Amino acid sequence: MKATGIVRRIDDLGRVVIPKEIRRTMRIREGDPLEIYTEKDGEVIFKKYSPMGEMSGFAEQICESMHKTAEYAAAVCDRDSVIAAAGQGRKELLDRHISPALEEIMEGRKAYRAEPGGRKVPVTDAENSPAAAVAVPILSEGDVLGCVVFLERADGVKAGDTELKLATTVSGFLGKQMES
């Protein structure tokens, strides 16, 4: 474990303040759930919890089905990174942080479809990240949990209503799965 040199005291209610620099670096926002566990040597560990992360195996299967059906590379993201992907560029996407532009789409809670000549929305924060053809936020009980994405195709074919509806359906299904 890397030492940061920052010391915080526990208040009378058992609270500890996580420094702003650490919250920004680790992308911890107000209201984010943290998993707390201990190690045998006395360490208390706070780990960012992703409810979508628990569904990564299931999300991987959904991405495979979406890719086969629509012939677009597909991905499912939680609020921070790509948790599942299928199709061209799968390995470059998995476990990468999502881009600020994709994060903005999720926070806006509206579906996105790339328009000819419109702005490009990179999926990850990598320099050569593929762009989203369609991105639909996953909502569960009013909370944004992630996003379903179809990637732009190399042959330039633009996503249509079918791809948008498929991503919307998968997003709704994943949102409902998180409620139960």
Short mmCIF file of all heavy atoms in Angstrom, two decimals, residues 21-86:
data_model
loop_
_atom_site.label_atom_id
_atom_site.label_comp_id
_atom_site.label_asym_id
_atom_site.label_seq_id
_atom_site.Cartn_x
_atom_site.Cartn_y
_atom_site.Cartn_z
N GLU A 21 -7.93 15.69 -2.34
CA GLU A 21 -7.00 15.20 -3.37
C GLU A 21 -7.22 13.71 -3.64
O GLU A 21 -7.18 13.25 -4.77
CB GLU A 21 -5.54 15.41 -2.96
CG GLU A 21 -5.17 16.82 -2.55
CD GLU A 21 -5.54 17.15 -1.11
OE1 GLU A 21 -5.35 16.31 -0.19
OE2 GLU A 21 -6.05 18.26 -0.89
N ILE A 22 -7.45 12.95 -2.57
CA ILE A 22 -7.68 11.51 -2.71
C ILE A 22 -9.03 11.26 -3.37
O ILE A 22 -9.16 10.42 -4.26
CB ILE A 22 -7.57 10.79 -1.35
CG1 ILE A 22 -6.12 10.84 -0.86
CG2 ILE A 22 -8.06 9.34 -1.46
CD1 ILE A 22 -5.92 10.29 0.53
N ARG A 23 -10.06 12.02 -2.95
CA ARG A 23 -11.39 11.86 -3.56
C ARG A 23 -11.34 12.17 -5.05
O ARG A 23 -11.93 11.45 -5.86
CB ARG A 23 -12.42 12.77 -2.87
CG ARG A 23 -12.73 12.37 -1.45
CD ARG A 23 -13.95 13.08 -0.90
NE ARG A 23 -14.04 14.48 -1.23
CZ ARG A 23 -13.70 15.48 -0.42
NH1 ARG A 23 -13.20 15.22 0.77
NH2 ARG A 23 -13.84 16.72 -0.79
N ARG A 24 -10.62 13.20 -5.44
CA ARG A 24 -10.52 13.57 -6.85
C ARG A 24 -9.75 12.51 -7.63
O ARG A 24 -10.19 12.06 -8.69
CB ARG A 24 -9.85 14.94 -7.01
CG ARG A 24 -9.84 15.43 -8.44
CD ARG A 24 -9.26 16.84 -8.61
NE ARG A 24 -7.97 16.99 -7.98
CZ ARG A 24 -7.71 17.83 -6.98
NH1 ARG A 24 -8.65 18.59 -6.49
NH2 ARG A 24 -6.50 17.91 -6.47
N THR A 25 -8.63 12.05 -7.11
CA THR A 25 -7.81 11.04 -7.78
C THR A 25 -8.56 9.73 -7.94
O THR A 25 -8.49 9.10 -9.00
CB THR A 25 -6.51 10.79 -6.98
OG1 THR A 25 -5.82 12.02 -6.83
CG2 THR A 25 -5.62 9.79 -7.68
N MET A 26 -9.28 9.33 -6.91
CA MET A 26 -9.99 8.05 -6.92
C MET A 26 -11.42 8.18 -7.48
O MET A 26 -12.17 7.21 -7.47
CB MET A 26 -10.04 7.46 -5.51
CG MET A 26 -8.68 7.20 -4.91
SD MET A 26 -7.64 6.14 -5.91
CE MET A 26 -8.53 4.63 -5.83
N ARG A 27 -11.79 9.37 -7.91
CA ARG A 27 -13.13 9.65 -8.47
C ARG A 27 -14.23 9.27 -7.48
O ARG A 27 -15.22 8.65 -7.82
CB ARG A 27 -13.33 8.92 -9.78
CG ARG A 27 -12.45 9.43 -10.89
CD ARG A 27 -12.69 8.65 -12.15
NE ARG A 27 -12.34 9.47 -13.31
CZ ARG A 27 -12.70 9.19 -14.54
NH1 ARG A 27 -13.43 8.13 -14.79
NH2 ARG A 27 -12.35 9.96 -15.54
N ILE A 28 -14.05 9.67 -6.23
CA ILE A 28 -15.06 9.42 -5.21
C ILE A 28 -15.89 10.69 -5.08
O ILE A 28 -15.38 11.76 -4.80
CB ILE A 28 -14.41 9.07 -3.85
CG1 ILE A 28 -13.60 7.78 -3.96
CG2 ILE A 28 -15.47 8.96 -2.76
CD1 ILE A 28 -12.75 7.46 -2.74
N ARG A 29 -17.20 10.53 -5.34
CA ARG A 29 -18.11 11.67 -5.29
C ARG A 29 -19.00 11.57 -4.05
O ARG A 29 -19.16 10.49 -3.48
CB ARG A 29 -19.01 11.67 -6.53
CG ARG A 29 -18.28 11.77 -7.83
CD ARG A 29 -19.29 11.53 -8.98
NE ARG A 29 -18.70 11.02 -10.19
CZ ARG A 29 -18.30 9.76 -10.40
NH1 ARG A 29 -18.40 8.86 -9.46
NH2 ARG A 29 -17.79 9.40 -11.55
N GLU A 30 -19.63 12.67 -3.72
CA GLU A 30 -20.57 12.67 -2.61
C GLU A 30 -21.67 11.64 -2.89
O GLU A 30 -22.21 11.59 -3.99
CB GLU A 30 -21.19 14.06 -2.47
CG GLU A 30 -22.15 14.19 -1.32
CD GLU A 30 -22.76 15.58 -1.21
OE1 GLU A 30 -22.10 16.55 -1.63
OE2 GLU A 30 -23.88 15.67 -0.70
N GLY A 31 -21.95 10.82 -1.91
CA GLY A 31 -23.00 9.81 -2.06
C GLY A 31 -22.50 8.47 -2.59
O GLY A 31 -23.26 7.50 -2.61
N ASP A 32 -21.24 8.39 -3.04
CA ASP A 32 -20.71 7.12 -3.54
C ASP A 32 -20.58 6.13 -2.39
O ASP A 32 -20.14 6.47 -1.29
CB ASP A 32 -19.30 7.31 -4.15
CG ASP A 32 -19.34 7.85 -5.56
OD1 ASP A 32 -20.44 7.95 -6.14
OD2 ASP A 32 -18.26 8.16 -6.09
N PRO A 33 -20.96 4.87 -2.64
CA PRO A 33 -20.79 3.86 -1.58
C PRO A 33 -19.34 3.40 -1.48
O PRO A 33 -18.64 3.29 -2.48
CB PRO A 33 -21.69 2.71 -2.06
CG PRO A 33 -21.80 2.88 -3.53
CD PRO A 33 -21.64 4.35 -3.81
N LEU A 34 -18.88 3.18 -0.26
CA LEU A 34 -17.54 2.67 0.00
C LEU A 34 -17.66 1.36 0.77
O LEU A 34 -18.43 1.26 1.72
CB LEU A 34 -16.70 3.66 0.82
CG LEU A 34 -16.39 5.00 0.17
CD1 LEU A 34 -15.63 5.88 1.15
CD2 LEU A 34 -15.58 4.82 -1.09
N GLU A 35 -16.89 0.38 0.35
CA GLU A 35 -16.82 -0.90 1.06
C GLU A 35 -15.71 -0.76 2.10
O GLU A 35 -14.62 -0.28 1.79
CB GLU A 35 -16.50 -2.00 0.06
CG GLU A 35 -16.47 -3.38 0.64
CD GLU A 35 -16.19 -4.43 -0.42
OE1 GLU A 35 -15.98 -4.11 -1.59
OE2 GLU A 35 -16.15 -5.61 -0.03
N ILE A 36 -15.98 -1.17 3.32
CA ILE A 36 -14.99 -1.05 4.39
C ILE A 36 -14.68 -2.45 4.91
O ILE A 36 -15.58 -3.20 5.26
CB ILE A 36 -15.52 -0.18 5.55
CG1 ILE A 36 -15.94 1.20 5.03
CG2 ILE A 36 -14.47 -0.05 6.65
CD1 ILE A 36 -16.75 2.00 6.02
N TYR A 37 -13.41 -2.78 4.93
CA TYR A 37 -13.01 -4.06 5.50
C TYR A 37 -11.66 -3.91 6.18
O TYR A 37 -10.99 -2.89 6.05
CB TYR A 37 -13.02 -5.19 4.46
CG TYR A 37 -12.13 -4.98 3.26
CD1 TYR A 37 -10.86 -5.52 3.21
CD2 TYR A 37 -12.57 -4.26 2.16
CE1 TYR A 37 -10.06 -5.35 2.11
CE2 TYR A 37 -11.78 -4.09 1.04
CZ TYR A 37 -10.52 -4.64 1.02
OH TYR A 37 -9.72 -4.46 -0.08
N THR A 38 -11.29 -4.93 6.95
CA THR A 38 -10.05 -4.87 7.72
C THR A 38 -9.12 -6.01 7.32
O THR A 38 -9.55 -7.05 6.83
CB THR A 38 -10.33 -4.98 9.24
OG1 THR A 38 -11.00 -6.20 9.50
CG2 THR A 38 -11.18 -3.82 9.71
N GLU A 39 -7.85 -5.78 7.56
CA GLU A 39 -6.82 -6.80 7.34
C GLU A 39 -6.34 -7.27 8.72
O GLU A 39 -6.53 -6.58 9.72
CB GLU A 39 -5.64 -6.21 6.55
CG GLU A 39 -5.98 -5.82 5.12
CD GLU A 39 -6.20 -7.01 4.21
OE1 GLU A 39 -5.56 -8.06 4.44
OE2 GLU A 39 -7.01 -6.89 3.28
N LYS A 40 -5.71 -8.42 8.74
CA LYS A 40 -5.25 -9.00 10.01
C LYS A 40 -4.24 -8.13 10.73
O LYS A 40 -4.14 -8.14 11.95
CB LYS A 40 -4.66 -10.39 9.77
CG LYS A 40 -5.70 -11.41 9.39
CD LYS A 40 -5.08 -12.77 9.15
CE LYS A 40 -6.17 -13.74 8.73
NZ LYS A 40 -5.66 -15.02 8.32
N ASP A 41 -3.46 -7.35 9.98
CA ASP A 41 -2.42 -6.52 10.60
C ASP A 41 -2.95 -5.18 11.11
O ASP A 41 -2.18 -4.29 11.45
CB ASP A 41 -1.25 -6.30 9.63
CG ASP A 41 -1.67 -5.58 8.36
OD1 ASP A 41 -2.86 -5.27 8.21
OD2 ASP A 41 -0.79 -5.32 7.52
N GLY A 42 -4.27 -5.03 11.17
CA GLY A 42 -4.86 -3.82 11.74
C GLY A 42 -5.23 -2.74 10.74
O GLY A 42 -5.72 -1.68 11.13
N GLU A 43 -5.02 -2.97 9.46
CA GLU A 43 -5.37 -1.97 8.46
C GLU A 43 -6.88 -1.94 8.25
O GLU A 43 -7.55 -2.97 8.23
CB GLU A 43 -4.71 -2.29 7.11
CG GLU A 43 -3.21 -2.12 7.13
CD GLU A 43 -2.59 -2.44 5.77
OE1 GLU A 43 -3.23 -3.15 4.95
OE2 GLU A 43 -1.48 -1.99 5.54
N VAL A 44 -7.41 -0.74 8.11
CA VAL A 44 -8.80 -0.54 7.73
C VAL A 44 -8.76 -0.03 6.30
O VAL A 44 -8.10 0.97 6.01
CB VAL A 44 -9.51 0.49 8.65
CG1 VAL A 44 -10.93 0.74 8.18
CG2 VAL A 44 -9.48 0.01 10.09
N ILE A 45 -9.47 -0.71 5.40
CA ILE A 45 -9.39 -0.38 3.98
C ILE A 45 -10.75 0.09 3.48
O ILE A 45 -11.78 -0.56 3.71
CB ILE A 45 -8.91 -1.60 3.17
CG1 ILE A 45 -7.51 -1.98 3.66
CG2 ILE A 45 -8.93 -1.32 1.68
CD1 ILE A 45 -7.01 -3.29 3.16
N PHE A 46 -10.75 1.24 2.81
CA PHE A 46 -11.93 1.78 2.15
C PHE A 46 -11.76 1.50 0.67
O PHE A 46 -10.77 1.90 0.07
CB PHE A 46 -12.03 3.30 2.36
CG PHE A 46 -12.36 3.70 3.77
CD1 PHE A 46 -11.35 3.81 4.71
CD2 PHE A 46 -13.65 3.98 4.14
CE1 PHE A 46 -11.64 4.19 6.01
CE2 PHE A 46 -13.95 4.37 5.43
CZ PHE A 46 -12.95 4.47 6.37
N LYS A 47 -12.74 0.84 0.08
CA LYS A 47 -12.68 0.54 -1.34
C LYS A 47 -13.96 1.05 -1.99
O LYS A 47 -15.06 0.82 -1.48
CB LYS A 47 -12.55 -0.98 -1.54
CG LYS A 47 -12.43 -1.40 -2.98
CD LYS A 47 -12.26 -2.91 -3.07
CE LYS A 47 -12.19 -3.34 -4.52
NZ LYS A 47 -12.16 -4.79 -4.64
N LYS A 48 -13.80 1.74 -3.10
CA LYS A 48 -14.97 2.23 -3.82
C LYS A 48 -15.80 1.04 -4.27
O LYS A 48 -15.29 0.09 -4.84
CB LYS A 48 -14.52 3.06 -5.01
CG LYS A 48 -15.62 3.88 -5.58
CD LYS A 48 -15.09 4.92 -6.50
CE LYS A 48 -16.25 5.67 -7.08
NZ LYS A 48 -15.84 6.58 -8.07
N TYR A 49 -17.10 1.10 -3.98
CA TYR A 49 -17.98 -0.01 -4.29
C TYR A 49 -18.77 0.29 -5.56
O TYR A 49 -19.32 1.37 -5.71
CB TYR A 49 -18.95 -0.24 -3.13
CG TYR A 49 -19.98 -1.29 -3.39
CD1 TYR A 49 -19.64 -2.64 -3.40
CD2 TYR A 49 -21.30 -0.95 -3.64
CE1 TYR A 49 -20.58 -3.62 -3.65
CE2 TYR A 49 -22.25 -1.92 -3.89
CZ TYR A 49 -21.89 -3.25 -3.89
OH TYR A 49 -22.82 -4.22 -4.14
N SER A 50 -18.79 -0.66 -6.47
CA SER A 50 -19.56 -0.53 -7.71
C SER A 50 -20.60 -1.63 -7.77
O SER A 50 -20.26 -2.79 -7.96
CB SER A 50 -18.63 -0.63 -8.92
OG SER A 50 -19.40 -0.78 -10.10
N PRO A 51 -21.89 -1.27 -7.62
CA PRO A 51 -22.93 -2.29 -7.73
C PRO A 51 -22.90 -2.97 -9.11
O PRO A 51 -23.13 -4.16 -9.23
CB PRO A 51 -24.24 -1.53 -7.55
CG PRO A 51 -23.89 -0.19 -7.06
CD PRO A 51 -22.45 0.04 -7.33
N MET A 52 -22.58 -2.21 -10.16
CA MET A 52 -22.50 -2.77 -11.51
C MET A 52 -21.34 -3.75 -11.63
O MET A 52 -21.41 -4.70 -12.41
CB MET A 52 -22.33 -1.65 -12.55
CG MET A 52 -23.57 -0.82 -12.78
SD MET A 52 -24.97 -1.74 -13.42
CE MET A 52 -24.32 -2.33 -14.97
N GLY A 53 -20.28 -3.53 -10.88
CA GLY A 53 -19.12 -4.41 -10.92
C GLY A 53 -19.46 -5.84 -10.58
O GLY A 53 -18.86 -6.79 -11.09
N GLU A 54 -20.46 -6.03 -9.71
CA GLU A 54 -20.89 -7.37 -9.33
C GLU A 54 -21.59 -8.08 -10.48
O GLU A 54 -21.75 -9.29 -10.45
CB GLU A 54 -21.81 -7.30 -8.11
CG GLU A 54 -21.07 -6.87 -6.86
CD GLU A 54 -21.96 -6.90 -5.63
OE1 GLU A 54 -23.11 -7.40 -5.71
OE2 GLU A 54 -21.50 -6.43 -4.59
N MET A 55 -22.02 -7.33 -11.47
CA MET A 55 -22.73 -7.91 -12.62
C MET A 55 -21.82 -8.04 -13.84
O MET A 55 -22.32 -8.23 -14.94
CB MET A 55 -23.92 -7.04 -12.98
CG MET A 55 -24.98 -6.98 -11.91
SD MET A 55 -26.46 -6.16 -12.49
CE MET A 55 -27.09 -7.35 -13.64
N SER A 56 -20.51 -7.95 -13.66
CA SER A 56 -19.62 -7.93 -14.83
C SER A 56 -19.71 -9.18 -15.70
O SER A 56 -19.67 -9.09 -16.92
CB SER A 56 -18.17 -7.66 -14.40
OG SER A 56 -17.71 -8.69 -13.57
N GLY A 57 -19.87 -10.35 -15.09
CA GLY A 57 -20.02 -11.58 -15.87
C GLY A 57 -21.29 -11.56 -16.70
O GLY A 57 -21.30 -11.92 -17.89
N PHE A 58 -22.37 -11.13 -16.08
CA PHE A 58 -23.66 -11.00 -16.76
C PHE A 58 -23.57 -9.93 -17.85
O PHE A 58 -24.05 -10.13 -18.97
CB PHE A 58 -24.71 -10.64 -15.70
CG PHE A 58 -26.11 -10.61 -16.21
CD1 PHE A 58 -26.71 -11.75 -16.72
CD2 PHE A 58 -26.85 -9.45 -16.14
CE1 PHE A 58 -28.02 -11.72 -17.17
CE2 PHE A 58 -28.16 -9.41 -16.58
CZ PHE A 58 -28.75 -10.55 -17.10
N ALA A 59 -22.94 -8.81 -17.54
CA ALA A 59 -22.78 -7.71 -18.51
C ALA A 59 -21.95 -8.17 -19.70
O ALA A 59 -22.20 -7.76 -20.84
CB ALA A 59 -22.15 -6.50 -17.83
N GLU A 60 -20.96 -9.03 -19.46
CA GLU A 60 -20.12 -9.56 -20.55
C GLU A 60 -20.98 -10.36 -21.53
O GLU A 60 -20.85 -10.23 -22.74
CB GLU A 60 -19.02 -10.46 -19.95
CG GLU A 60 -17.90 -10.76 -20.89
CD GLU A 60 -16.97 -9.59 -21.13
OE1 GLU A 60 -16.61 -8.88 -20.18
OE2 GLU A 60 -16.62 -9.37 -22.31
N GLN A 61 -21.89 -11.18 -21.00
CA GLN A 61 -22.79 -11.96 -21.86
C GLN A 61 -23.73 -11.06 -22.65
O GLN A 61 -23.99 -11.29 -23.83
CB GLN A 61 -23.60 -12.95 -21.01
CG GLN A 61 -22.76 -14.04 -20.39
CD GLN A 61 -23.55 -14.90 -19.42
OE1 GLN A 61 -24.69 -14.59 -19.07
NE2 GLN A 61 -22.95 -15.99 -19.00
N ILE A 62 -24.22 -10.02 -22.01
CA ILE A 62 -25.11 -9.08 -22.70
C ILE A 62 -24.35 -8.37 -23.82
O ILE A 62 -24.88 -8.19 -24.93
CB ILE A 62 -25.71 -8.07 -21.70
CG1 ILE A 62 -26.79 -8.76 -20.88
CG2 ILE A 62 -26.28 -6.85 -22.41
CD1 ILE A 62 -27.43 -7.91 -19.82
N CYS A 63 -23.10 -7.97 -23.55
CA CYS A 63 -22.29 -7.31 -24.59
C CYS A 63 -22.09 -8.22 -25.79
O CYS A 63 -22.18 -7.77 -26.94
CB CYS A 63 -20.94 -6.87 -24.03
SG CYS A 63 -21.05 -5.43 -22.96
N GLU A 64 -21.82 -9.50 -25.53
CA GLU A 64 -21.65 -10.47 -26.62
C GLU A 64 -22.92 -10.55 -27.47
O GLU A 64 -22.87 -10.54 -28.70
CB GLU A 64 -21.31 -11.86 -26.07
CG GLU A 64 -19.89 -12.02 -25.61
CD GLU A 64 -18.87 -11.97 -26.74
OE1 GLU A 64 -19.20 -12.29 -27.90
OE2 GLU A 64 -17.73 -11.57 -26.45
N SER A 65 -24.07 -10.63 -26.82
CA SER A 65 -25.35 -10.70 -27.53
C SER A 65 -25.61 -9.43 -28.33
O SER A 65 -26.06 -9.49 -29.48
CB SER A 65 -26.50 -10.93 -26.55
OG SER A 65 -26.38 -12.18 -25.94
N MET A 66 -25.34 -8.28 -27.73
CA MET A 66 -25.54 -7.01 -28.43
C MET A 66 -24.63 -6.92 -29.66
O MET A 66 -25.06 -6.49 -30.73
CB MET A 66 -25.26 -5.83 -27.49
CG MET A 66 -26.30 -5.64 -26.41
SD MET A 66 -25.83 -4.43 -25.15
CE MET A 66 -25.35 -3.02 -26.09
N HIS A 67 -23.39 -7.34 -29.49
CA HIS A 67 -22.42 -7.30 -30.59
C HIS A 67 -22.88 -8.20 -31.74
O HIS A 67 -22.84 -7.79 -32.91
CB HIS A 67 -21.04 -7.72 -30.09
CG HIS A 67 -20.02 -7.91 -31.16
ND1 HIS A 67 -19.66 -6.91 -32.03
CD2 HIS A 67 -19.30 -8.99 -31.50
CE1 HIS A 67 -18.75 -7.38 -32.87
NE2 HIS A 67 -18.52 -8.64 -32.57
N LYS A 68 -23.33 -9.40 -31.43
CA LYS A 68 -23.78 -10.32 -32.48
C LYS A 68 -25.05 -9.83 -33.16
O LYS A 68 -25.21 -9.98 -34.36
CB LYS A 68 -24.01 -11.72 -31.88
CG LYS A 68 -22.74 -12.43 -31.53
CD LYS A 68 -23.00 -13.77 -30.89
CE LYS A 68 -21.68 -14.42 -30.48
NZ LYS A 68 -21.91 -15.63 -29.69
N THR A 69 -25.94 -9.23 -32.40
CA THR A 69 -27.21 -8.76 -32.94
C THR A 69 -27.05 -7.52 -33.81
O THR A 69 -27.57 -7.45 -34.91
CB THR A 69 -28.21 -8.45 -31.80
OG1 THR A 69 -28.39 -9.62 -31.02
CG2 THR A 69 -29.54 -7.97 -32.33
N ALA A 70 -26.32 -6.53 -33.31
CA ALA A 70 -26.24 -5.24 -33.98
C ALA A 70 -24.99 -5.07 -34.85
O ALA A 70 -24.90 -4.11 -35.61
CB ALA A 70 -26.28 -4.12 -32.95
N GLU A 71 -24.02 -5.96 -34.72
CA GLU A 71 -22.76 -5.88 -35.46
C GLU A 71 -21.98 -4.59 -35.15
O GLU A 71 -21.32 -4.03 -36.02
CB GLU A 71 -23.00 -6.04 -36.96
CG GLU A 71 -23.58 -7.40 -37.30
CD GLU A 71 -23.85 -7.58 -38.78
OE1 GLU A 71 -23.72 -6.62 -39.55
OE2 GLU A 71 -24.22 -8.71 -39.16
N TYR A 72 -22.11 -4.14 -33.91
CA TYR A 72 -21.32 -3.02 -33.38
C TYR A 72 -20.59 -3.56 -32.15
O TYR A 72 -21.15 -4.39 -31.43
CB TYR A 72 -22.21 -1.86 -32.91
CG TYR A 72 -22.71 -0.96 -33.99
CD1 TYR A 72 -23.79 -1.32 -34.80
CD2 TYR A 72 -22.12 0.27 -34.22
CE1 TYR A 72 -24.27 -0.49 -35.78
CE2 TYR A 72 -22.59 1.12 -35.21
CZ TYR A 72 -23.66 0.73 -35.98
OH TYR A 72 -24.12 1.56 -36.96
N ALA A 73 -19.38 -3.07 -31.90
CA ALA A 73 -18.73 -3.39 -30.63
C ALA A 73 -19.59 -2.77 -29.53
O ALA A 73 -20.14 -1.68 -29.71
CB ALA A 73 -17.31 -2.83 -30.60
N ALA A 74 -19.70 -3.47 -28.41
CA ALA A 74 -20.57 -3.02 -27.33
C ALA A 74 -19.81 -3.02 -26.01
O ALA A 74 -18.87 -3.80 -25.83
CB ALA A 74 -21.80 -3.92 -27.24
N ALA A 75 -20.24 -2.16 -25.11
CA ALA A 75 -19.62 -2.09 -23.79
C ALA A 75 -20.65 -1.71 -22.74
O ALA A 75 -21.65 -1.05 -23.05
CB ALA A 75 -18.48 -1.07 -23.78
N VAL A 76 -20.39 -2.13 -21.52
CA VAL A 76 -21.18 -1.70 -20.36
C VAL A 76 -20.19 -1.09 -19.38
O VAL A 76 -19.13 -1.66 -19.11
CB VAL A 76 -21.94 -2.89 -19.70
CG1 VAL A 76 -22.60 -2.46 -18.40
CG2 VAL A 76 -22.97 -3.46 -20.66
N CYS A 77 -20.54 0.09 -18.88
CA CYS A 77 -19.67 0.82 -17.95
C CYS A 77 -20.39 1.01 -16.62
O CYS A 77 -21.60 1.09 -16.59
CB CYS A 77 -19.36 2.22 -18.50
SG CYS A 77 -18.77 2.24 -20.19
N ASP A 78 -19.60 1.09 -15.55
CA ASP A 78 -20.17 1.59 -14.31
C ASP A 78 -19.90 3.10 -14.32
O ASP A 78 -19.58 3.66 -15.37
CB ASP A 78 -19.63 0.86 -13.08
CG ASP A 78 -18.14 1.06 -12.81
OD1 ASP A 78 -17.51 1.92 -13.46
OD2 ASP A 78 -17.61 0.34 -11.94
N ARG A 79 -19.95 3.77 -13.21
CA ARG A 79 -19.77 5.22 -13.22
C ARG A 79 -18.32 5.65 -13.42
O ARG A 79 -18.04 6.82 -13.64
CB ARG A 79 -20.31 5.82 -11.93
CG ARG A 79 -21.83 5.71 -11.88
CD ARG A 79 -22.42 6.48 -10.76
NE ARG A 79 -22.12 7.89 -10.90
CZ ARG A 79 -22.22 8.76 -9.91
NH1 ARG A 79 -22.60 8.36 -8.72
NH2 ARG A 79 -21.95 10.02 -10.09
N ASP A 80 -17.39 4.68 -13.37
CA ASP A 80 -15.98 5.02 -13.46
C ASP A 80 -15.23 4.36 -14.61
O ASP A 80 -14.31 4.95 -15.15
CB ASP A 80 -15.27 4.67 -12.16
CG ASP A 80 -15.77 5.50 -11.01
OD1 ASP A 80 -15.77 6.73 -11.14
OD2 ASP A 80 -16.18 4.92 -9.99
N SER A 81 -15.58 3.13 -14.94
CA SER A 81 -14.78 2.40 -15.92
C SER A 81 -15.62 1.42 -16.72
O SER A 81 -16.77 1.15 -16.39
CB SER A 81 -13.63 1.67 -15.21
OG SER A 81 -14.15 0.75 -14.28
N VAL A 82 -15.01 0.86 -17.76
CA VAL A 82 -15.66 -0.14 -18.59
C VAL A 82 -15.56 -1.48 -17.87
O VAL A 82 -14.46 -1.94 -17.56
CB VAL A 82 -14.99 -0.22 -19.98
CG1 VAL A 82 -15.64 -1.30 -20.83
CG2 VAL A 82 -15.04 1.14 -20.69
N ILE A 83 -16.70 -2.11 -17.59
CA ILE A 83 -16.69 -3.38 -16.84
C ILE A 83 -16.88 -4.59 -17.74
O ILE A 83 -16.59 -5.71 -17.34
CB ILE A 83 -17.72 -3.39 -15.70
CG1 ILE A 83 -19.15 -3.28 -16.25
CG2 ILE A 83 -17.43 -2.31 -14.68
CD1 ILE A 83 -20.22 -3.64 -15.24
N ALA A 84 -17.40 -4.37 -18.96
CA ALA A 84 -17.62 -5.48 -19.90
C ALA A 84 -17.59 -4.92 -21.32
O ALA A 84 -17.99 -3.78 -21.55
CB ALA A 84 -18.94 -6.16 -19.63
N ALA A 85 -17.10 -5.74 -22.26
CA ALA A 85 -17.05 -5.30 -23.66
C ALA A 85 -17.01 -6.52 -24.57
O ALA A 85 -16.58 -7.60 -24.16
CB ALA A 85 -15.83 -4.42 -23.90
N ALA A 86 -17.45 -6.32 -25.81
CA ALA A 86 -17.40 -7.37 -26.84
C ALA A 86 -17.18 -6.70 -28.18
O ALA A 86 -17.62 -5.58 -28.42
CB ALA A 86 -18.70 -8.17 -26.84
#
